[in-house]
Amino acid sequence: MKIKQLVKSMALTAGLAASFTASADFVDFTVDEGFAAANGSAVTADKINGGYVERITFDGNGNFEADAFATFGQFFLGSNSLNTGLNNTYSLYATFDAAGTAGSEGNVEYFSGNSGSFQLYLDTNNDTMLSDDQDVNSIVGNGEDILLGSSSALGQNLGTSSTVQGQTVTAFDFNFLDFDLTDDGDQYFISPMPFSVTVKVNGDFDSFEQTGTQITRGDVSAQFENAGGVTDVPEPSTIAIMALGLLGLGAARRRKA
């Protein structure tokens, strides 16, 4: 990469970071897989990765509603994927929803939620799924599943889709505040204690137009932040900066590859 291109990419990346009013303070967490499956042990990680299916509806008046079903298959600690019972002997999945406003600035489409909820479940039999992959509510095999924790407070959040020179970049970043564990959740998540934190749910999505009802898919990660994290929603004027930062990151990765 040429020096000028590198500086430009770094500036755009800095714009992405600055589009939120504070940096995340992620915490390591420890789960007791012995609660989920026989012969399990304690595992410390800092991120859970997976994929999701989402139904999103635009009403034509600048508003949207979305519901999603996410399955998590890997724990990560730093850049290392951990080989544990997760997705082998048991699984984790989440349902989450959001409602808010949508719009565009230039070639950047965005959506920002003003309400939402997040629920995390333990599937001890590793058999919960959607019976219809076009219907996020068609969950089956969940009779024995255990609710681990939930949040009904949506904080800082933003999703964007940008296309420049034929390259589309999508990303979303939603924070669910005051994530509270159930009694069962306290037996699975054994550290930190107390476990009253923010769940940061982020990833990408298949591009879509802001019209009607659509099904989209993508990758998703869940990380935990210390309680009392950032709650401000980015101002509309920062949306283009964020999108450009994502484009800068994507371009840098393509050049490196």
Side-chain angles (χ1 to χ4, degrees):
M1 180 186 297
K2 296 180 180 179
I3 297 298
K4 182 181 293 185
Q5 293 173 322
L6 176 61
V7 171
K8 184 177 181 180
S9 180
M10 290 175 63
L12 294 176
T13 303
L16 170 61
S19 66
F20 296 109
T21 57
S23 60
D25 184 13
F26 297 125
V27 298
D28 291 354
F29 58 89
T30 301
V31 301
D32 180 9
E33 292 196 314
F35 176 76
N39 302 320
S41 59
V43 174
T44 298
D46 59 16
K47 181 167 61 175
I48 317 174
N49 273 9
Y52 72 97
V53 180
E54 178 183 52
R55 178 183 60 222
I56 187 165
T57 300
F58 297 94
D59 67 359
N61 295 313
N63 304 301
F64 79 92
E65 293 183 351
D67 299 277
F69 174 81
T71 55
F72 296 104
Q74 287 179 302
F75 285 129
F76 275 79
L77 184 59
S79 60
N80 298 318
S81 175
L82 306 181
N83 183 21
T84 74
L86 178 60
N87 210 37
N88 293 312
T89 57
Y90 75 97
S91 62
L92 298 176
Y93 70 90
T95 58
F96 55 95
D97 62 84
T101 57
S104 62
E105 287 192 5
N107 66 334
V108 180
E109 293 188 343
Y110 66 88
F111 53 91
S112 178
N114 51 38
S115 64
S117 66
F118 177 91
Q119 301 80 36
L120 181 65
Y121 294 88
L122 168 65
D123 174 16
T124 56
N125 290 344
N126 200 19
D127 61 354
T128 300
M129 65 182 71
L130 297 180
S131 62
D132 180 355
D133 63 5
Q134 297 293 312
D135 181 1
V136 298
N137 298 124
S138 64
I139 302 173
V140 295
N142 59 337
E144 85 295 344
D145 296 349
I146 300 170
L147 177 64
L148 297 177
S150 63
S151 167
S152 58
L154 182 62
Q156 175 178 285
N157 63 89
L158 183 66
T160 63
S161 177
S162 305
T163 302
V164 175
Q165 296 181 345
Q167 177 67 30
T168 300
V169 176
T170 62
F172 69 91
D173 192 315
F174 276 38
N175 287 306
F176 294 94
L177 310 176
D178 301 326
F179 180 72
D180 290 327
L181 296 180
T182 63
D183 290 342
D184 289 321
D186 279 331
Q187 296 184 63
Y188 180 72
F189 288 98
I190 58 177
S191 176
M193 285 295 173
F195 203 96
S196 178
V197 294
T198 296
V199 180
K200 186 181 186 68
V201 181
N202 54 28
D204 57 33
F205 52 88
D206 294 343
S207 59
F208 53 78
E209 295 182 3
Q210 294 183 7
T211 179
T213 298
Q214 303 177 48
I215 295 292
T216 185
R217 295 172 172 81
D219 300 318
V220 63
S221 294
Q223 295 170 284
F224 300 106
E225 298 178 66
N226 287 323
V230 179
T231 60
D232 294 337
V233 177
E235 294 294 331
S237 60
T238 69
I239 292 171
I241 296 176
M242 178 179 179
L244 287 173
L246 292 169
L247 286 169
L249 288 171
R253 289 194 183 105
R254 290 194 303 276
R255 292 190 186 99
K256 183 176 180 181

